[in-house]
Amino acid sequence: MKIKDWMTAKVVTVAPETSVKDAFKIMKKNGFRHLPVVRGDRLVGFVTDRDLRRPDIADVFKEWNDLYRLTDELHVEDVMITKVYKVGPEDDLKKAAALVIDKHIGALPVVEGDKIVGIITVFDFLRALVG
């Protein structure tokens, strides 16, 4: 099985200049835990709800509802992962699942070159399993 058969092709992304506050809003509104960070259509990073809840950020708020108290001064580029594990659409689904397990991550951006073409999450792997 290939990644392209199970990935989500319509990807919601954010720019590095997006405020952490706005990234939280996007995640909460859409029920996401991961957002690829792009400049144009080129993947430059990845941000997770865990990144946005780092201790230096989390002391500003206690719960999701408190995110509205955040200022717009902290940006995604300040907290994003820049060394991103990623896969291609033609990659083997089982190998990608093994990477997710090995690295203890919840999602992988799907790229062709540096261009984001999808995302595959633990939920997508489960969908493939039950089929």
Side-chain angles (χ1 to χ4, degrees):
M1 288 191 281
K2 303 280 185 191
I3 295 288
K4 68 181 179 182
D5 299 323
W6 297 99
M7 70 182 195
T8 300
K10 188 174 181 181
V11 184
V12 176
T13 62
V14 293
E17 303 80 23
T18 303
S19 71
V20 166
K21 179 179 178 178
D22 287 343
F24 260 121
K25 287 180 182 178
I26 292 167
M27 285 183 182
K28 184 172 182 179
K29 176 183 174 189
N30 294 289
F32 297 154
R33 294 184 302 152
H34 314 88
L35 289 170
V37 183
V38 298
R39 201 169 259 119
D41 60 0
R42 186 168 94 54
L43 182 70
V44 296
F46 202 64
V47 68
T48 70
D49 61 344
R50 184 181 297 168
D51 300 321
L52 299 179
R53 291 179 185 215
R54 288 185 349 204
D56 56 328
I57 299 170
D59 64 356
V60 176
F61 63 95
K62 300 293 183 249
E63 297 185 20
W64 278 98
N65 292 336
D66 292 334
L67 70 94
Y68 297 102
R69 295 187 315 177
L70 288 172
T71 69
D72 292 324
E73 295 175 15
L74 191 61
H75 298 97
V76 169
E77 65 192 341
D78 299 321
V79 298
M80 71 183 187
I81 300 161
T82 57
K83 294 184 180 184
V84 181
Y85 296 105
K86 52 195 168 202
V87 292
E90 295 295 326
D91 289 350
D92 180 68
L93 189 70
K94 189 174 178 180
K95 287 182 181 178
L99 178 63
V100 165
I101 292 167
D102 184 52
K103 300 301 180 185
H104 301 279
I105 54 179
L108 293 163
V110 183
V111 297
E112 289 182 326
D114 284 335
K115 182 180 178 186
I116 184 97
V117 296
I119 188 169
I120 190 154
T121 68
V122 168
F123 179 77
D124 298 317
F125 290 112
L126 290 172
R127 274 190 317 115
L129 180 65
V130 298

